[in-house]
Amino acid sequence: MDLHALADFNLVATHGGFGRASRQSGRSKATLSRKVSELEASLGVRLIDRGSHTLRLTDEGRALHQRTQGPLAEIAEAREAVAAGSSEPRGKLRISAPIVLAHVLLPRAASAFVAAYPQVEVEIVAEDRKVDPVEDNYDIVIRVDPDPDERLIGRRIVEDDRLLVGPADMAVTLGEEERAVPAVVHPVTADGDIWRIETGNGISLLRPQARLRFSSFLMVRDAVLAGAGVAIVPSLLVREDLAAGRLRLWGRQAGPKVEIWALQNSRRLTSLKVRTFVEALGAMV
């Protein structure tokens, strides 16, 4: 496969047309069109449906674009590094992370990283949906307790606890008998759920009486700070509030710790920028 033709095809696919790709790259529309046609002829399939005013990737074109844009970017990155005589990380690094982690963990880590490696541009997208790093073009996806996926490889960067916290002025009411408590809960908490809480005196059972339900743990935390009730939240989210005395720790939810992983597409080589960022992130947490 002609890598130059493949690079031109990906340029056109990324920018959604020959004209935009031409303006972006400085290459003529005629040259780009010819190289894409040569690639189609060599593969024996049509990659782009060309209309009078629109351009649409065929299924084969979409599959080729998704599978090759990452490796081609790595090749370009390696070429630039060799030409510059440098082994420093460089290029754009796209990261998807759950909203809570994107707010409480990544800003500090990313700021320190770009200060140390000024030739890397970091883009972090905060979202709670389960993204596909290939289709959505991410270098790293950060997930909490991820299911096994043969398409993804990575490393665990931190383990975290789920803590039961309450307003600073709310008395702790734990004991051997099950009891009800006013609570701020996540929508996944069902009516009738029982919280098993580990304390220094063993396991206590609490029945949350939901006063508020929020889809974001940030909102749950803020409601507890406002005195609405107790809640189970990630330790990373409330460390500073507990240390400052704004919240009171009641105990730890019984069960395994939460695992936070940094994952990437298993079909791609681990680039220097990805490896360096993941190592830096693991060291900071």
Side-chain angles (χ1 to χ4, degrees):
M1 187 182 298
D2 184 342
L3 290 183
H4 293 292
L6 181 60
D8 285 341
F9 161 72
N10 274 298
L11 183 68
V12 172
T14 297
H15 293 285
F18 289 98
R20 284 189 288 270
S22 174
R23 290 190 292 273
Q24 178 68 24
S25 65
R27 293 166 61 78
S28 71
K29 290 173 58 177
T31 298
L32 292 174
S33 179
R34 177 173 55 81
K35 297 298 287 186
V36 171
S37 295
E38 290 175 357
L39 181 62
E40 290 176 323
S42 69
L43 295 174
V45 296
R46 180 172 292 279
L47 300 173
I48 295 175
D49 285 330
R50 301 164 175 80
S52 57
H53 299 290
T54 61
L55 177 149
R56 185 180 67 85
L57 295 180
T58 64
D59 290 342
E60 293 81 4
R62 190 176 303 107
L64 183 65
H65 180 52
Q66 291 171 353
R67 293 290 297 273
T68 62
Q69 61 178 332
L72 283 176
E74 291 179 6
I75 292 172
E77 179 183 331
R79 183 177 63 243
E80 291 174 3
V82 171
S86 171
S87 60
E88 289 267 313
R90 64 182 62 231
K92 186 170 184 178
L93 184 65
R94 293 194 77 232
I95 302 168
S96 170
I99 293 173
V100 167
L101 294 179
H103 280 79
V104 305
L105 180 62
L106 293 180
R108 181 169 58 92
S111 297
F113 183 79
V114 296
Y117 303 103
Q119 302 207 48
V120 179
E121 175 192 349
V122 177
E123 177 185 354
I124 297 174
V125 179
E127 52 192 347
D128 285 334
R129 70 185 182 95
K130 187 176 181 179
V131 303
D132 185 309
V134 180
E135 293 185 1
D136 297 311
N137 195 27
Y138 285 111
D139 298 293
I140 300 171
V141 293
I142 296 178
R143 290 184 181 168
V144 178
D145 289 336
D147 295 326
D149 189 333
E150 64 180 11
R151 300 174 306 162
L152 301 176
I153 58 173
R155 58 172 283 190
R156 183 179 61 199
I157 56 175
V158 68
E159 290 184 330
D160 196 27
D161 288 314
R162 296 180 178 92
L163 301 181
L164 178 66
V165 299
D169 58 355
M170 186 175 181
V172 178
T173 56
L174 297 178
E176 295 181 357
E177 297 181 0
E178 178 186 316
R179 62 191 63 196
V181 289
V184 183
V185 301
H186 208 256
V188 297
T189 303
D191 294 337
D193 278 0
I194 300 298
W195 288 345
R196 300 178 70 251
I197 305 300
E198 293 181 352
T199 69
N201 299 319
I203 300 291
S204 295
L205 302 180
L206 295 179
R207 179 163 32 88
Q209 293 183 324
R211 289 181 168 179
L212 292 169
R213 293 181 184 269
F214 292 117
S215 61
S216 166
F217 279 116
L218 292 167
M219 299 169 70
V220 170
R221 188 270 315 271
D222 289 348
V224 177
L225 284 168
V230 301
I232 291 177
V233 292
S235 169
L236 286 170
L237 184 59
V238 293
R239 285 177 181 174
E240 294 183 1
D241 295 308
L242 290 171
R246 293 186 291 268
L247 291 176
R248 176 176 292 183
L249 177 64
W250 284 36
R252 172 188 177 276
Q253 186 177 33
K257 289 180 176 288
V258 176
E259 294 187 353
I260 300 171
W261 285 70
L263 303 170
Q264 68 174 95
N265 179 9
S266 62
R267 299 191 184 100
R268 292 179 60 178
L269 296 175
T270 301
S271 66
L272 180 59
K273 62 186 177 184
V274 169
R275 182 171 65 252
T276 306
F277 182 85
V278 172
E279 291 173 353
L281 182 59
M284 290 192 68
V285 297

